[in-house]
Every structure is written in C-alpha cells, then in structure tokens.
Amino acid sequence: MYRVIFYSVLIGILLLFVGCGVSNAKAKKGFVTYLKMHHNNKYKILTFKRNFNAANMNPNLFWVELELKSNPDIVINFEWNAEHKALYVPYQYSENRSIEALTHYQEQEIVLREALYEALDTDVLSMDVNVFNLTISIHLETEPTFNDFQYFSKKISAILDDYPDTWTREARVDFKIKKEKKGFYELIVKPTTYNDCDESFRYKPNAIVANNYGSEKAENIDRIVQQKFSKPDAPVFLSNIWVNQKDLNSFYIAFEKHEPLKRPEGNRNLTEGVGMYLIEMNYPNLALKTLTYYNYKTTSRDGIFLFLIDQLPEDYQYLIEHL
C-alpha cells in the first residue's frame, strides 16, 4: 500500500515538472528552425522526444536522432535543451559535442571500420568492429598461435594509429573459433598514439588475456577444476585465468572456495567465499603442477586480484604496473 502511494506521488511530481517545461510542439519547432539556420537543413530528424526522468530532473531535455541526408549511414544522437536551444553537455564532459563533431566522428568511424575490414578480410572468416566499445571480434578457422597474435596486432595497430581521435584507447581483440560465443584469448592492441601513463592498469604491448567463459577451452578448464576441487559442502567457482605470455597453453588459474554460511538465516544453501586457490596447469591434459591456498582469515579478500598477480611468475604478468 505504501509503495503504491509512493509511486503515485512520484509520478505526480514528474508530471508536474513536465508541465513546467517547453511543450513538445514548441520544442520541435524551435529545433527545426535551429537546424535550418545553422546546418542548412542537412539533417533528417528521425527521433525527437522528451527525455525527462527522475535522473536528470530537467523537463526541457529531448532525445534527438538525426540522419545526414547526403549519407544515410551516418546517424547521430544527443540530448537537446529546448530552453537554451543547444545540445545538452554534462558539466564534466570534456570532448567536443557539437553536431559537427558528432557527424565527423561518425564519418571517421565508417572509414576506420572499412579500413580494418579491407586489411583483414582475407585473414579471417568474419569480423565485427565496435568503435564505441573499442572492441574487435575476429572469427578464425582454428585457434590463433603466438605468431598470429603478433601479426594481427601489427596490422590493427597500424590502422588505429591513423584515427587517434576516433579510436582513443587500446583495442580489445577477441579471437574465437567455430561455435564460440566468445573466444578464449583476447589480445590487447595498443596504438602508438595512445598515452596510458596516467592509467592505474597499464597493459604491456600485445598482452594476452584469457576469458573465463564462452569458449570450449574455458569450459574444459572449469570442468576439470570442478571435478578436482568442488565438494557438496564446499563448492568452488572459477575466478580468473592467466596465460603464459610466451606459451599459450600454460596457465595459472584462480578459483574461490565457498562454505555454507554460518548463519544461513533460513536458506541453508547459501554459501560464502572463504579463500582462494591458485594453481598452475597445462593444457590440454590440465595436469596440476603447483597448488597454493590463500585463506581469507590471513589474506584479505579485498584486493585479492592484485595480490594474486604479484604471486605469478613474470611470464604470466601482462600489466606494466598495477598500483
């Protein structure tokens, strides 16, 4: 009952604020006039709708999508402040967010994506490029070798260097083979134009990172770990896999041990993490080479990821610095 009253009051407040804002018709008319005056009617309006919500509490914000008439592949979107007749830019936003800048970015994104496809077309089965998320997914016939990583890194980096304002960070390149939703190996490609000196986590050039889920190799590793270490009253959960940066089939694997909650509060199936195992294994036989257990009573759970990295041999470390 109280929840219904609360939401009713909240909706009433929101409607009250909306009533105080510029009307939809007036806002759109003003925006059309703005486009004709400043952009010579170069854009087609695809979407223009009020974007007021409890988060921004501004009834004059509208969500806009524009299509460049000369190139329908270029679609930009932004928030429009109907009261100020200007794009809404958050206070902490530092990049140029004008209609011209957004359009130029989209133009460069199309060119960059085409350049990547052209450079790698004969080397891959298929590829997906996401400039917004700075990710590339490459589909291969067979699992990549160490030489493959070096080859793709060199070609991709050379292209990304030509578009420093569009591809602004290192690329995460996912390599997957048939029937995989996500590849086991992920390569970090660092453009020479990207300066990461101020980053807390700095990847070494051509760092190779393993994905815990989505690939046949990750499923095999998890299955072996479960068979060897999981118990009905003390299950284990895969936490992280570190790849030897020179030998792609040598791993250090971290998995967390759980035990029943001491005070289950009605649900006896609840568990809590009590420690972390760190093991060294080789693929495909996954024979155990070394095993270390870190109990949370003596090793803090907070910061356990960085702590475990410090325990790894140098060949498994892919960060330049992590503190």
PDB file of all heavy atoms in Angstrom, residues 112 115-124 127 136 138 147-163 171 173 175 187 189-191 206:
ATOM      1  N   LEU A 112      37.209   4.117 -40.703  1.00  0.00           N
ATOM      2  CA  LEU A 112      38.084   3.242 -39.917  1.00  0.00           C
ATOM      3  C   LEU A 112      37.627   1.790 -39.996  1.00  0.00           C
ATOM      4  O   LEU A 112      38.434   0.878 -40.179  1.00  0.00           O
ATOM      5  CB  LEU A 112      38.099   3.723 -38.462  1.00  0.00           C
ATOM      6  CG  LEU A 112      39.041   3.019 -37.480  1.00  0.00           C
ATOM      7  CD1 LEU A 112      39.403   3.969 -36.354  1.00  0.00           C
ATOM      8  CD2 LEU A 112      38.428   1.767 -36.881  1.00  0.00           C
ATOM      9  N   ALA A 115      38.477   0.338 -43.288  1.00  0.00           N
ATOM     10  CA  ALA A 115      39.913   0.092 -43.407  1.00  0.00           C
ATOM     11  C   ALA A 115      40.307  -1.205 -42.711  1.00  0.00           C
ATOM     12  O   ALA A 115      41.130  -1.976 -43.221  1.00  0.00           O
ATOM     13  CB  ALA A 115      40.691   1.272 -42.823  1.00  0.00           C
ATOM     14  N   LEU A 116      39.721  -1.468 -41.542  1.00  0.00           N
ATOM     15  CA  LEU A 116      40.013  -2.712 -40.830  1.00  0.00           C
ATOM     16  C   LEU A 116      39.510  -3.917 -41.604  1.00  0.00           C
ATOM     17  O   LEU A 116      40.216  -4.933 -41.728  1.00  0.00           O
ATOM     18  CB  LEU A 116      39.368  -2.670 -39.437  1.00  0.00           C
ATOM     19  CG  LEU A 116      40.052  -1.788 -38.400  1.00  0.00           C
ATOM     20  CD1 LEU A 116      39.174  -1.626 -37.163  1.00  0.00           C
ATOM     21  CD2 LEU A 116      41.406  -2.372 -37.999  1.00  0.00           C
ATOM     22  N   TYR A 117      38.309  -3.828 -42.133  1.00  0.00           N
ATOM     23  CA  TYR A 117      37.772  -4.948 -42.903  1.00  0.00           C
ATOM     24  C   TYR A 117      38.616  -5.211 -44.153  1.00  0.00           C
ATOM     25  O   TYR A 117      38.895  -6.361 -44.495  1.00  0.00           O
ATOM     26  CB  TYR A 117      36.326  -4.655 -43.307  1.00  0.00           C
ATOM     27  CG  TYR A 117      35.314  -5.052 -42.261  1.00  0.00           C
ATOM     28  CD1 TYR A 117      34.821  -4.121 -41.356  1.00  0.00           C
ATOM     29  CD2 TYR A 117      34.853  -6.360 -42.152  1.00  0.00           C
ATOM     30  CE1 TYR A 117      33.901  -4.471 -40.388  1.00  0.00           C
ATOM     31  CE2 TYR A 117      33.934  -6.723 -41.197  1.00  0.00           C
ATOM     32  CZ  TYR A 117      33.451  -5.780 -40.314  1.00  0.00           C
ATOM     33  OH  TYR A 117      32.542  -6.138 -39.350  1.00  0.00           O
ATOM     34  N   GLU A 118      39.020  -4.144 -44.807  1.00  0.00           N
ATOM     35  CA  GLU A 118      39.825  -4.301 -46.022  1.00  0.00           C
ATOM     36  C   GLU A 118      41.181  -4.928 -45.709  1.00  0.00           C
ATOM     37  O   GLU A 118      41.676  -5.787 -46.449  1.00  0.00           O
ATOM     38  CB  GLU A 118      40.018  -2.944 -46.692  1.00  0.00           C
ATOM     39  CG  GLU A 118      40.794  -3.011 -48.002  1.00  0.00           C
ATOM     40  CD  GLU A 118      40.917  -1.659 -48.679  1.00  0.00           C
ATOM     41  OE1 GLU A 118      40.252  -0.699 -48.226  1.00  0.00           O
ATOM     42  OE2 GLU A 118      41.683  -1.561 -49.652  1.00  0.00           O
ATOM     43  N   ALA A 119      41.798  -4.522 -44.601  1.00  0.00           N
ATOM     44  CA  ALA A 119      43.135  -5.024 -44.256  1.00  0.00           C
ATOM     45  C   ALA A 119      43.108  -6.478 -43.808  1.00  0.00           C
ATOM     46  O   ALA A 119      44.079  -7.214 -44.015  1.00  0.00           O
ATOM     47  CB  ALA A 119      43.742  -4.150 -43.162  1.00  0.00           C
ATOM     48  N   LEU A 120      42.009  -6.930 -43.184  1.00  0.00           N
ATOM     49  CA  LEU A 120      41.983  -8.255 -42.568  1.00  0.00           C
ATOM     50  C   LEU A 120      41.042  -9.227 -43.266  1.00  0.00           C
ATOM     51  O   LEU A 120      40.937 -10.392 -42.845  1.00  0.00           O
ATOM     52  CB  LEU A 120      41.565  -8.132 -41.098  1.00  0.00           C
ATOM     53  CG  LEU A 120      42.439  -7.231 -40.221  1.00  0.00           C
ATOM     54  CD1 LEU A 120      41.856  -7.140 -38.818  1.00  0.00           C
ATOM     55  CD2 LEU A 120      43.870  -7.746 -40.167  1.00  0.00           C
ATOM     56  N   ASP A 121      40.394  -8.797 -44.314  1.00  0.00           N
ATOM     57  CA  ASP A 121      39.350  -9.603 -44.945  1.00  0.00           C
ATOM     58  C   ASP A 121      39.824 -10.997 -45.332  1.00  0.00           C
ATOM     59  O   ASP A 121      39.138 -11.993 -45.093  1.00  0.00           O
ATOM     60  CB  ASP A 121      38.802  -8.872 -46.180  1.00  0.00           C
ATOM     61  CG  ASP A 121      37.731  -9.676 -46.891  1.00  0.00           C
ATOM     62  OD1 ASP A 121      36.707  -9.981 -46.254  1.00  0.00           O
ATOM     63  OD2 ASP A 121      37.927 -10.016 -48.072  1.00  0.00           O
ATOM     64  N   THR A 122      40.992 -11.116 -45.926  1.00  0.00           N
ATOM     65  CA  THR A 122      41.471 -12.421 -46.403  1.00  0.00           C
ATOM     66  C   THR A 122      42.039 -13.278 -45.278  1.00  0.00           C
ATOM     67  O   THR A 122      42.308 -14.466 -45.487  1.00  0.00           O
ATOM     68  CB  THR A 122      42.553 -12.222 -47.481  1.00  0.00           C
ATOM     69  OG1 THR A 122      43.632 -11.449 -46.937  1.00  0.00           O
ATOM     70  CG2 THR A 122      41.979 -11.510 -48.696  1.00  0.00           C
ATOM     71  N   ASP A 123      42.222 -12.707 -44.095  1.00  0.00           N
ATOM     72  CA  ASP A 123      42.840 -13.441 -42.989  1.00  0.00           C
ATOM     73  C   ASP A 123      41.829 -14.021 -42.006  1.00  0.00           C
ATOM     74  O   ASP A 123      42.210 -14.810 -41.138  1.00  0.00           O
ATOM     75  CB  ASP A 123      43.789 -12.513 -42.216  1.00  0.00           C
ATOM     76  CG  ASP A 123      44.898 -11.955 -43.092  1.00  0.00           C
ATOM     77  OD1 ASP A 123      45.408 -12.713 -43.930  1.00  0.00           O
ATOM     78  OD2 ASP A 123      45.223 -10.761 -42.947  1.00  0.00           O
ATOM     79  N   VAL A 124      40.575 -13.629 -42.114  1.00  0.00           N
ATOM     80  CA  VAL A 124      39.581 -14.031 -41.113  1.00  0.00           C
ATOM     81  C   VAL A 124      38.333 -14.585 -41.798  1.00  0.00           C
ATOM     82  O   VAL A 124      38.073 -14.311 -42.978  1.00  0.00           O
ATOM     83  CB  VAL A 124      39.190 -12.831 -40.218  1.00  0.00           C
ATOM     84  CG1 VAL A 124      40.422 -12.241 -39.541  1.00  0.00           C
ATOM     85  CG2 VAL A 124      38.458 -11.760 -41.014  1.00  0.00           C
ATOM     86  N   MET A 127      34.356 -10.763 -39.035  1.00  0.00           N
ATOM     87  CA  MET A 127      34.875  -9.819 -38.062  1.00  0.00           C
ATOM     88  C   MET A 127      33.791  -8.821 -37.692  1.00  0.00           C
ATOM     89  O   MET A 127      32.932  -8.486 -38.503  1.00  0.00           O
ATOM     90  CB  MET A 127      36.097  -9.089 -38.632  1.00  0.00           C
ATOM     91  CG  MET A 127      36.736  -8.090 -37.676  1.00  0.00           C
ATOM     92  SD  MET A 127      38.287  -7.410 -38.327  1.00  0.00           S
ATOM     93  CE  MET A 127      37.715  -6.647 -39.838  1.00  0.00           C
ATOM     94  N   ILE A 136      37.141  -5.437 -31.010  1.00  0.00           N
ATOM     95  CA  ILE A 136      37.149  -6.103 -32.313  1.00  0.00           C
ATOM     96  C   ILE A 136      37.003  -7.598 -32.060  1.00  0.00           C
ATOM     97  O   ILE A 136      37.707  -8.156 -31.217  1.00  0.00           O
ATOM     98  CB  ILE A 136      38.450  -5.825 -33.088  1.00  0.00           C
ATOM     99  CG1 ILE A 136      38.627  -4.320 -33.321  1.00  0.00           C
ATOM    100  CG2 ILE A 136      38.474  -6.585 -34.414  1.00  0.00           C
ATOM    101  CD1 ILE A 136      39.983  -3.940 -33.901  1.00  0.00           C
ATOM    102  N   ILE A 138      37.241 -11.245 -33.871  1.00  0.00           N
ATOM    103  CA  ILE A 138      37.746 -11.921 -35.061  1.00  0.00           C
ATOM    104  C   ILE A 138      37.399 -13.407 -35.000  1.00  0.00           C
ATOM    105  O   ILE A 138      37.640 -14.066 -33.993  1.00  0.00           O
ATOM    106  CB  ILE A 138      39.270 -11.728 -35.181  1.00  0.00           C
ATOM    107  CG1 ILE A 138      39.579 -10.266 -35.533  1.00  0.00           C
ATOM    108  CG2 ILE A 138      39.872 -12.666 -36.216  1.00  0.00           C
ATOM    109  CD1 ILE A 138      41.054  -9.954 -35.619  1.00  0.00           C
ATOM    110  N   ASN A 147      52.318 -16.420 -33.099  1.00  0.00           N
ATOM    111  CA  ASN A 147      52.664 -15.639 -34.287  1.00  0.00           C
ATOM    112  C   ASN A 147      51.446 -14.936 -34.868  1.00  0.00           C
ATOM    113  O   ASN A 147      51.558 -13.827 -35.410  1.00  0.00           O
ATOM    114  CB  ASN A 147      53.310 -16.537 -35.345  1.00  0.00           C
ATOM    115  CG  ASN A 147      54.709 -16.967 -34.957  1.00  0.00           C
ATOM    116  OD1 ASN A 147      55.381 -16.301 -34.163  1.00  0.00           O
ATOM    117  ND2 ASN A 147      55.165 -18.089 -35.498  1.00  0.00           N
ATOM    118  N   ASP A 148      50.280 -15.569 -34.771  1.00  0.00           N
ATOM    119  CA  ASP A 148      49.047 -14.933 -35.242  1.00  0.00           C
ATOM    120  C   ASP A 148      48.769 -13.655 -34.453  1.00  0.00           C
ATOM    121  O   ASP A 148      48.381 -12.628 -35.024  1.00  0.00           O
ATOM    122  CB  ASP A 148      47.853 -15.882 -35.093  1.00  0.00           C
ATOM    123  CG  ASP A 148      47.897 -17.035 -36.079  1.00  0.00           C
ATOM    124  OD1 ASP A 148      48.492 -16.866 -37.160  1.00  0.00           O
ATOM    125  OD2 ASP A 148      47.344 -18.102 -35.757  1.00  0.00           O
ATOM    126  N   PHE A 149      48.960 -13.726 -33.147  1.00  0.00           N
ATOM    127  CA  PHE A 149      48.731 -12.545 -32.321  1.00  0.00           C
ATOM    128  C   PHE A 149      49.642 -11.395 -32.743  1.00  0.00           C
ATOM    129  O   PHE A 149      49.206 -10.243 -32.832  1.00  0.00           O
ATOM    130  CB  PHE A 149      48.975 -12.882 -30.841  1.00  0.00           C
ATOM    131  CG  PHE A 149      47.886 -13.701 -30.215  1.00  0.00           C
ATOM    132  CD1 PHE A 149      48.195 -14.732 -29.348  1.00  0.00           C
ATOM    133  CD2 PHE A 149      46.556 -13.448 -30.486  1.00  0.00           C
ATOM    134  CE1 PHE A 149      47.197 -15.489 -28.756  1.00  0.00           C
ATOM    135  CE2 PHE A 149      45.550 -14.196 -29.900  1.00  0.00           C
ATOM    136  CZ  PHE A 149      45.875 -15.223 -29.034  1.00  0.00           C
ATOM    137  N   GLN A 150      50.899 -11.692 -32.980  1.00  0.00           N
ATOM    138  CA  GLN A 150      51.842 -10.660 -33.388  1.00  0.00           C
ATOM    139  C   GLN A 150      51.453 -10.067 -34.744  1.00  0.00           C
ATOM    140  O   GLN A 150      51.525  -8.844 -34.953  1.00  0.00           O
ATOM    141  CB  GLN A 150      53.266 -11.235 -33.462  1.00  0.00           C
ATOM    142  CG  GLN A 150      53.728 -11.948 -32.195  1.00  0.00           C
ATOM    143  CD  GLN A 150      53.637 -11.080 -30.966  1.00  0.00           C
ATOM    144  OE1 GLN A 150      54.166  -9.976 -30.935  1.00  0.00           O
ATOM    145  NE2 GLN A 150      52.956 -11.573 -29.933  1.00  0.00           N
ATOM    146  N   TYR A 151      51.021 -10.931 -35.646  1.00  0.00           N
ATOM    147  CA  TYR A 151      50.644 -10.497 -36.993  1.00  0.00           C
ATOM    148  C   TYR A 151      49.429  -9.569 -36.951  1.00  0.00           C
ATOM    149  O   TYR A 151      49.445  -8.468 -37.525  1.00  0.00           O
ATOM    150  CB  TYR A 151      50.342 -11.724 -37.850  1.00  0.00           C
ATOM    151  CG  TYR A 151      49.726 -11.415 -39.194  1.00  0.00           C
ATOM    152  CD1 TYR A 151      50.509 -10.948 -40.255  1.00  0.00           C
ATOM    153  CD2 TYR A 151      48.354 -11.588 -39.413  1.00  0.00           C
ATOM    154  CE1 TYR A 151      49.948 -10.665 -41.483  1.00  0.00           C
ATOM    155  CE2 TYR A 151      47.790 -11.310 -40.631  1.00  0.00           C
ATOM    156  CZ  TYR A 151      48.581 -10.849 -41.675  1.00  0.00           C
ATOM    157  OH  TYR A 151      48.013 -10.573 -42.892  1.00  0.00           O
ATOM    158  N   PHE A 152      48.373 -10.003 -36.253  1.00  0.00           N
ATOM    159  CA  PHE A 152      47.154  -9.190 -36.190  1.00  0.00           C
ATOM    160  C   PHE A 152      47.399  -7.890 -35.427  1.00  0.00           C
ATOM    161  O   PHE A 152      46.855  -6.844 -35.786  1.00  0.00           O
ATOM    162  CB  PHE A 152      46.023  -9.984 -35.535  1.00  0.00           C
ATOM    163  CG  PHE A 152      45.353 -10.964 -36.460  1.00  0.00           C
ATOM    164  CD1 PHE A 152      45.542 -12.329 -36.299  1.00  0.00           C
ATOM    165  CD2 PHE A 152      44.559 -10.520 -37.495  1.00  0.00           C
ATOM    166  CE1 PHE A 152      44.931 -13.236 -37.151  1.00  0.00           C
ATOM    167  CE2 PHE A 152      43.936 -11.412 -38.352  1.00  0.00           C
ATOM    168  CZ  PHE A 152      44.122 -12.779 -38.180  1.00  0.00           C
ATOM    169  N   SER A 153      48.190  -7.943 -34.379  1.00  0.00           N
ATOM    170  CA  SER A 153      48.466  -6.738 -33.608  1.00  0.00           C
ATOM    171  C   SER A 153      49.148  -5.680 -34.480  1.00  0.00           C
ATOM    172  O   SER A 153      48.790  -4.493 -34.422  1.00  0.00           O
ATOM    173  CB  SER A 153      49.346  -7.073 -32.405  1.00  0.00           C
ATOM    174  OG  SER A 153      49.636  -5.908 -31.671  1.00  0.00           O
ATOM    175  N   LYS A 154      50.110  -6.112 -35.268  1.00  0.00           N
ATOM    176  CA  LYS A 154      50.846  -5.167 -36.123  1.00  0.00           C
ATOM    177  C   LYS A 154      49.918  -4.517 -37.149  1.00  0.00           C
ATOM    178  O   LYS A 154      49.957  -3.296 -37.355  1.00  0.00           O
ATOM    179  CB  LYS A 154      51.997  -5.903 -36.819  1.00  0.00           C
ATOM    180  CG  LYS A 154      52.879  -4.999 -37.666  1.00  0.00           C
ATOM    181  CD  LYS A 154      54.039  -5.778 -38.265  1.00  0.00           C
ATOM    182  CE  LYS A 154      54.928  -4.872 -39.106  1.00  0.00           C
ATOM    183  NZ  LYS A 154      56.068  -5.618 -39.702  1.00  0.00           N
ATOM    184  N   LYS A 155      49.048  -5.314 -37.774  1.00  0.00           N
ATOM    185  CA  LYS A 155      48.166  -4.780 -38.816  1.00  0.00           C
ATOM    186  C   LYS A 155      47.099  -3.864 -38.215  1.00  0.00           C
ATOM    187  O   LYS A 155      46.794  -2.799 -38.758  1.00  0.00           O
ATOM    188  CB  LYS A 155      47.508  -5.921 -39.597  1.00  0.00           C
ATOM    189  CG  LYS A 155      48.485  -6.780 -40.375  1.00  0.00           C
ATOM    190  CD  LYS A 155      47.789  -7.674 -41.380  1.00  0.00           C
ATOM    191  CE  LYS A 155      47.291  -6.893 -42.585  1.00  0.00           C
ATOM    192  NZ  LYS A 155      46.796  -7.790 -43.658  1.00  0.00           N
ATOM    193  N   ILE A 156      46.517  -4.285 -37.100  1.00  0.00           N
ATOM    194  CA  ILE A 156      45.459  -3.489 -36.485  1.00  0.00           C
ATOM    195  C   ILE A 156      46.012  -2.186 -35.928  1.00  0.00           C
ATOM    196  O   ILE A 156      45.428  -1.109 -36.107  1.00  0.00           O
ATOM    197  CB  ILE A 156      44.760  -4.297 -35.373  1.00  0.00           C
ATOM    198  CG1 ILE A 156      43.981  -5.466 -35.991  1.00  0.00           C
ATOM    199  CG2 ILE A 156      43.812  -3.414 -34.569  1.00  0.00           C
ATOM    200  CD1 ILE A 156      43.421  -6.428 -34.972  1.00  0.00           C
ATOM    201  N   SER A 157      47.143  -2.258 -35.259  1.00  0.00           N
ATOM    202  CA  SER A 157      47.749  -1.065 -34.669  1.00  0.00           C
ATOM    203  C   SER A 157      48.064  -0.018 -35.732  1.00  0.00           C
ATOM    204  O   SER A 157      47.860   1.178 -35.518  1.00  0.00           O
ATOM    205  CB  SER A 157      49.015  -1.441 -33.902  1.00  0.00           C
ATOM    206  OG  SER A 157      49.605  -0.295 -33.323  1.00  0.00           O
ATOM    207  N   ALA A 158      48.547  -0.455 -36.877  1.00  0.00           N
ATOM    208  CA  ALA A 158      48.902   0.477 -37.951  1.00  0.00           C
ATOM    209  C   ALA A 158      47.678   1.260 -38.423  1.00  0.00           C
ATOM    210  O   ALA A 158      47.773   2.453 -38.750  1.00  0.00           O
ATOM    211  CB  ALA A 158      49.524  -0.281 -39.115  1.00  0.00           C
ATOM    212  N   ILE A 159      46.518   0.606 -38.442  1.00  0.00           N
ATOM    213  CA  ILE A 159      45.291   1.287 -38.868  1.00  0.00           C
ATOM    214  C   ILE A 159      44.775   2.218 -37.782  1.00  0.00           C
ATOM    215  O   ILE A 159      44.395   3.365 -38.046  1.00  0.00           O
ATOM    216  CB  ILE A 159      44.212   0.248 -39.251  1.00  0.00           C
ATOM    217  CG1 ILE A 159      44.674  -0.543 -40.473  1.00  0.00           C
ATOM    218  CG2 ILE A 159      42.871   0.927 -39.537  1.00  0.00           C
ATOM    219  CD1 ILE A 159      43.786  -1.712 -40.810  1.00  0.00           C
ATOM    220  N   LEU A 160      44.768   1.751 -36.534  1.00  0.00           N
ATOM    221  CA  LEU A 160      44.259   2.571 -35.443  1.00  0.00           C
ATOM    222  C   LEU A 160      45.081   3.846 -35.262  1.00  0.00           C
ATOM    223  O   LEU A 160      44.556   4.879 -34.858  1.00  0.00           O
ATOM    224  CB  LEU A 160      44.252   1.773 -34.138  1.00  0.00           C
ATOM    225  CG  LEU A 160      43.406   0.495 -34.112  1.00  0.00           C
ATOM    226  CD1 LEU A 160      43.386  -0.097 -32.714  1.00  0.00           C
ATOM    227  CD2 LEU A 160      41.995   0.758 -34.609  1.00  0.00           C
ATOM    228  N   ASP A 161      46.377   3.777 -35.576  1.00  0.00           N
ATOM    229  CA  ASP A 161      47.232   4.960 -35.460  1.00  0.00           C
ATOM    230  C   ASP A 161      46.780   6.085 -36.385  1.00  0.00           C
ATOM    231  O   ASP A 161      47.063   7.263 -36.125  1.00  0.00           O
ATOM    232  CB  ASP A 161      48.680   4.593 -35.780  1.00  0.00           C
ATOM    233  CG  ASP A 161      49.379   3.912 -34.615  1.00  0.00           C
ATOM    234  OD1 ASP A 161      48.838   3.961 -33.499  1.00  0.00           O
ATOM    235  OD2 ASP A 161      50.451   3.324 -34.832  1.00  0.00           O
ATOM    236  N   ASP A 162      46.083   5.733 -37.462  1.00  0.00           N
ATOM    237  CA  ASP A 162      45.627   6.747 -38.428  1.00  0.00           C
ATOM    238  C   ASP A 162      44.364   7.464 -37.962  1.00  0.00           C
ATOM    239  O   ASP A 162      43.958   8.458 -38.583  1.00  0.00           O
ATOM    240  CB  ASP A 162      45.369   6.100 -39.797  1.00  0.00           C
ATOM    241  CG  ASP A 162      46.652   5.614 -40.468  1.00  0.00           C
ATOM    242  OD1 ASP A 162      47.724   6.182 -40.162  1.00  0.00           O
ATOM    243  OD2 ASP A 162      46.584   4.685 -41.283  1.00  0.00           O
ATOM    244  N   TYR A 163      43.733   6.965 -36.886  1.00  0.00           N
ATOM    245  CA  TYR A 163      42.474   7.556 -36.420  1.00  0.00           C
ATOM    246  C   TYR A 163      42.510   7.776 -34.902  1.00  0.00           C
ATOM    247  O   TYR A 163      41.683   7.245 -34.163  1.00  0.00           O
ATOM    248  CB  TYR A 163      41.300   6.647 -36.799  1.00  0.00           C
ATOM    249  CG  TYR A 163      41.220   6.363 -38.278  1.00  0.00           C
ATOM    250  CD1 TYR A 163      41.867   5.260 -38.829  1.00  0.00           C
ATOM    251  CD2 TYR A 163      40.526   7.211 -39.135  1.00  0.00           C
ATOM    252  CE1 TYR A 163      41.813   5.001 -40.185  1.00  0.00           C
ATOM    253  CE2 TYR A 163      40.468   6.963 -40.493  1.00  0.00           C
ATOM    254  CZ  TYR A 163      41.117   5.853 -41.019  1.00  0.00           C
ATOM    255  OH  TYR A 163      41.066   5.606 -42.366  1.00  0.00           O
ATOM    256  N   ALA A 171      42.842  -1.387 -28.101  1.00  0.00           N
ATOM    257  CA  ALA A 171      41.760  -2.233 -28.605  1.00  0.00           C
ATOM    258  C   ALA A 171      41.793  -3.583 -27.899  1.00  0.00           C
ATOM    259  O   ALA A 171      42.861  -4.147 -27.668  1.00  0.00           O
ATOM    260  CB  ALA A 171      41.907  -2.434 -30.111  1.00  0.00           C
ATOM    261  N   VAL A 173      40.882  -7.220 -28.644  1.00  0.00           N
ATOM    262  CA  VAL A 173      40.587  -8.046 -29.818  1.00  0.00           C
ATOM    263  C   VAL A 173      40.286  -9.470 -29.362  1.00  0.00           C
ATOM    264  O   VAL A 173      41.153 -10.166 -28.828  1.00  0.00           O
ATOM    265  CB  VAL A 173      41.775  -8.043 -30.807  1.00  0.00           C
ATOM    266  CG1 VAL A 173      41.383  -8.774 -32.088  1.00  0.00           C
ATOM    267  CG2 VAL A 173      42.193  -6.605 -31.121  1.00  0.00           C
ATOM    268  N   PHE A 175      39.437 -13.310 -30.097  1.00  0.00           N
ATOM    269  CA  PHE A 175      39.653 -14.324 -31.130  1.00  0.00           C
ATOM    270  C   PHE A 175      38.804 -15.552 -30.807  1.00  0.00           C
ATOM    271  O   PHE A 175      38.995 -16.184 -29.768  1.00  0.00           O
ATOM    272  CB  PHE A 175      41.130 -14.727 -31.183  1.00  0.00           C
ATOM    273  CG  PHE A 175      42.027 -13.659 -31.735  1.00  0.00           C
ATOM    274  CD1 PHE A 175      42.533 -12.659 -30.912  1.00  0.00           C
ATOM    275  CD2 PHE A 175      42.361 -13.627 -33.069  1.00  0.00           C
ATOM    276  CE1 PHE A 175      43.365 -11.676 -31.403  1.00  0.00           C
ATOM    277  CE2 PHE A 175      43.196 -12.644 -33.581  1.00  0.00           C
ATOM    278  CZ  PHE A 175      43.697 -11.666 -32.747  1.00  0.00           C
ATOM    279  N   LEU A 187      43.388 -10.277 -27.141  1.00  0.00           N
ATOM    280  CA  LEU A 187      44.659  -9.580 -27.345  1.00  0.00           C
ATOM    281  C   LEU A 187      44.465  -8.081 -27.131  1.00  0.00           C
ATOM    282  O   LEU A 187      43.504  -7.493 -27.635  1.00  0.00           O
ATOM    283  CB  LEU A 187      45.172  -9.847 -28.765  1.00  0.00           C
ATOM    284  CG  LEU A 187      46.449  -9.126 -29.190  1.00  0.00           C
ATOM    285  CD1 LEU A 187      47.648  -9.660 -28.407  1.00  0.00           C
ATOM    286  CD2 LEU A 187      46.682  -9.308 -30.699  1.00  0.00           C
ATOM    287  N   VAL A 189      45.687  -4.593 -28.106  1.00  0.00           N
ATOM    288  CA  VAL A 189      46.470  -3.897 -29.126  1.00  0.00           C
ATOM    289  C   VAL A 189      46.551  -2.430 -28.730  1.00  0.00           C
ATOM    290  O   VAL A 189      45.538  -1.741 -28.609  1.00  0.00           O
ATOM    291  CB  VAL A 189      45.822  -4.037 -30.520  1.00  0.00           C
ATOM    292  CG1 VAL A 189      46.614  -3.237 -31.550  1.00  0.00           C
ATOM    293  CG2 VAL A 189      45.752  -5.498 -30.925  1.00  0.00           C
ATOM    294  N   LYS A 190      47.769  -1.955 -28.504  1.00  0.00           N
ATOM    295  CA  LYS A 190      47.974  -0.584 -28.043  1.00  0.00           C
ATOM    296  C   LYS A 190      48.451   0.294 -29.201  1.00  0.00           C
ATOM    297  O   LYS A 190      49.594   0.161 -29.661  1.00  0.00           O
ATOM    298  CB  LYS A 190      49.005  -0.553 -26.910  1.00  0.00           C
ATOM    299  CG  LYS A 190      48.577  -1.314 -25.667  1.00  0.00           C
ATOM    300  CD  LYS A 190      49.638  -1.281 -24.580  1.00  0.00           C
ATOM    301  CE  LYS A 190      49.834   0.105 -24.057  1.00  0.00           C
ATOM    302  NZ  LYS A 190      50.693   0.128 -22.846  1.00  0.00           N
ATOM    303  N   PRO A 191      47.603   1.202 -29.682  1.00  0.00           N
ATOM    304  CA  PRO A 191      48.073   2.146 -30.704  1.00  0.00           C
ATOM    305  C   PRO A 191      49.211   3.004 -30.151  1.00  0.00           C
ATOM    306  O   PRO A 191      49.216   3.352 -28.968  1.00  0.00           O
ATOM    307  CB  PRO A 191      46.825   2.998 -30.989  1.00  0.00           C
ATOM    308  CG  PRO A 191      45.669   2.199 -30.478  1.00  0.00           C
ATOM    309  CD  PRO A 191      46.196   1.404 -29.327  1.00  0.00           C
ATOM    310  N   ASN A 206      50.783  -5.939 -26.668  1.00  0.00           N
ATOM    311  CA  ASN A 206      50.371  -7.268 -27.119  1.00  0.00           C
ATOM    312  C   ASN A 206      50.082  -8.222 -25.960  1.00  0.00           C
ATOM    313  O   ASN A 206      50.333  -9.430 -26.051  1.00  0.00           O
ATOM    314  CB  ASN A 206      51.411  -7.885 -28.054  1.00  0.00           C
ATOM    315  CG  ASN A 206      51.662  -7.025 -29.285  1.00  0.00           C
ATOM    316  OD1 ASN A 206      50.783  -6.291 -29.723  1.00  0.00           O
ATOM    317  ND2 ASN A 206      52.850  -7.099 -29.825  1.00  0.00           N
TER     318      ASN A 206
END
